Every structure is written in structure tokens, then in C-alpha cells.
Amino acid sequence: MAKAVILFLRVGVQLLALPIYLLSFLGIWNPFCKKIFFPFFIEKFTATYNQRMSEQKQELFRNLQEFAGPSGELTLLEIGTGTGANFQFYPPGCKLTCTDTDLHFQRGLSRSTAQNQHLQFQRFLVAPGEDLSQVADNSVDAVICTLVLCSVQSIEGVLKEVLRVLRPGGAFYFLEHVAADHSSWSYFWQQVYNPTWKLVFNGCCLTRETWKNLEQAKFSEIKLRHIHAPLYWTPVQSHVIGYAIK
């Protein structure tokens, strides 16, 4: 019965989004989304998200400096940098390498770079999280990934690369929206919205159980918490936050 209701409501949502589905069928939506809509949306969303999640981000990155190498320098690699939403939370003087697959965030990224001169920007790489071949083995102290694993092709592939580039004892920091508890209304609506949400928001999936991938990866230790983000009336309130040590 529940599955039938979900399918019925999905059709209703898809009818409301029919113009986007038609543009997608005609091959127009995807390039428009990547070049114009999604970068514009992310820039606006980032400002709201950072405002509402500032306390959680500050707490998450509070101990980053503890993972600095023997020289005292902290080298960071960020996967899916986007517009640089995390820059303000990183400790002064750390050396940062940024990666993303989308060059259309450049305007917001340039602004964030200019506003965060406390960081040493090393490189900006165009690369998916599943293929960080431009980064050497065991070469970084910490890898950062926030609101990215919802849309990658393979979470397992990303985590495999994270473990490769991290030095022994290095840490992987994550903050990701995930599937809600299966018995909740939140999860019900996530299932309803998910097909259309993925189309509109560039492949973002609402129902991934990312914590399972993190727990199954070959980290020596993981500190993970489930939280409800103050993103009211949205299907992305359920989050996992924490870090894992190689």
C-alpha cells in the first residue's frame, strides 16, 4: 500500500515538474542545469547552509590542526570544492588542494578564495572523487568532503581514493545529507521526491545510506554521528557528520 502511494505521489511531483522533464527529453535541461541553474542555486544555498550549519561545521573542523604532519604544516585535499563553502572554517596557514568536476562554480570559488587569504591554495584540479590520480599516495594529512557523496557515481570508489591519498594516521572529514529513518515521514517524502530531485539538482540522491559505506571502508577508526540539520521543510535534514582515521 505504501509503495503504491509513493508511486502515485511521485507521478504528481513529476507532473508539476513536467517542463523540466520535457527539457531533459529534448537534451536542453542538462547543459542548462550544469552551466547556469545549479551553480546559481549552489551559491545561494551555500550562504543559507553555512548560516544554519555554522556551529556544526566549526565543531567538525575544530581538531583539524591535530592531524598536521611532523613539520607542523597541515595539508588538506577537498573533494567537490564547489564555491568554497568550507574555506572559512579551515585553520590559518594550511595548504589546500581543491578538486571538482564542474568548472561553472568559478565565479563563487574566486570570490571565496579572495575572501580567505588565511589559506595557502596549492592547486585546483578538475577531477572526480573516484579518480584522484593527480594526487600522490600517502601525501595529505586530511581529506574533506561535504555534501558531495550524495551525487558521486561510486561512494566506494571515492573512499578507496581517500584512503590511498591520506597518509597513515590522516583523517577523512565528512558532512553529508542521507536517507532518513525508514519508519519516518521524512523518508517517505524522500522516496516521493527522489527521482525529480535527482533530475533538478544535478544527480543529488536523497536516499543514500552513506554511513554504511563509511563504516564498511577500511578506516582504522571512525567517529560518526547522525544529526538533524536545521533545514526545515526540506528533504535533506538527515545528516551524518564526523571523521575517520586511516
Side-chain angles (χ1 to χ4, degrees):
M1 181 63 179
K3 289 184 178 179
V5 174
I6 288 169
L7 290 173
F8 175 77
L9 291 172
R10 274 183 182 174
V11 172
V13 172
Q14 289 167 340
L15 286 173
L16 290 172
L18 186 59
I20 294 177
Y21 277 93
L22 289 174
L23 290 173
S24 178
F25 177 77
L26 294 172
I28 298 171
W29 174 254
N30 191 51
F32 172 78
C33 178
K34 287 183 178 296
K35 293 180 181 179
I36 299 173
F37 171 74
F38 196 61
F40 173 80
F41 168 79
I42 286 296
E43 193 166 350
K44 301 302 181 184
F45 175 76
T46 293
T48 300
Y49 188 85
N50 271 357
Q51 183 180 23
R52 297 187 181 183
M53 295 291 287
S54 177
E55 184 178 338
Q56 290 87 345
K57 282 194 173 186
Q58 288 175 2
E59 179 62 30
L60 173 62
F61 297 127
R62 192 181 304 279
N63 68 339
L64 255 177
Q65 192 61 50
E66 295 177 10
F67 291 97
S71 67
E73 291 185 331
L74 178 67
T75 58
L76 304 181
L77 171 70
E78 184 169 30
I79 297 173
T81 300
T83 58
N86 296 321
F87 290 172
Q88 62 183 291
F89 301 101
Y90 295 155
C94 66
K95 295 183 175 181
L96 177 61
T97 296
C98 303
T99 73
D100 210 307
T101 58
D102 196 336
L103 294 176
H104 300 107
F105 296 123
Q106 191 60 47
R107 187 181 69 171
L109 180 60
S110 297
R111 186 182 301 114
S112 294
T113 302
Q115 292 172 348
N116 290 277
Q117 294 297 312
H118 66 290
L119 305 176
Q120 297 183 48
F121 294 98
Q122 302 294 293
R123 294 188 291 171
F124 292 85
L125 307 176
V126 180
E130 298 92 337
D131 181 12
L132 301 172
S133 56
Q134 299 175 74
V135 183
D137 296 0
N138 308 309
S139 62
V140 296
D141 299 314
V143 177
I144 317 293
C145 189
T146 64
L147 302 185
V148 172
L149 297 179
C150 58
S151 58
V152 298
Q153 294 296 315
S154 169
I155 297 177
E156 294 86 353
V158 172
L159 296 180
K160 183 178 179 180
E161 280 291 82
V162 168
L163 284 164
R164 179 184 66 80
V165 302
L166 273 177
R167 64 165 178 78
F172 173 58
Y173 284 76
F174 53 87
L175 175 61
E176 299 286 339
H177 72 79
V178 295
D181 184 284
H182 285 204
S183 64
S184 68
W185 278 108
S186 294
Y187 184 65
F188 174 86
W189 287 109
Q190 282 179 336
Q191 293 179 90
V192 171
Y193 293 134
N194 193 51
T196 301
W197 187 275
K198 288 178 70 175
L199 174 64
V200 174
F201 296 109
N202 200 29
C204 174
C205 181
L206 293 172
T207 56
R208 288 189 174 178
E209 298 176 331
T210 306
W211 67 90
K212 293 183 178 180
N213 302 99
L214 290 162
E215 290 168 347
Q216 292 167 4
K218 296 179 180 179
F219 291 104
S220 63
E221 182 181 355
I222 184 167
K223 297 183 182 295
L224 180 152
R225 291 188 297 124
H226 289 258
I227 64 171
H228 286 280
L231 303 170
Y232 308 111
W233 307 107
T234 75
V236 292
Q237 280 190 274
S238 296
H239 278 51
V240 289
I241 184 172
Y243 63 94
I245 299 174
K246 178 175 174 179

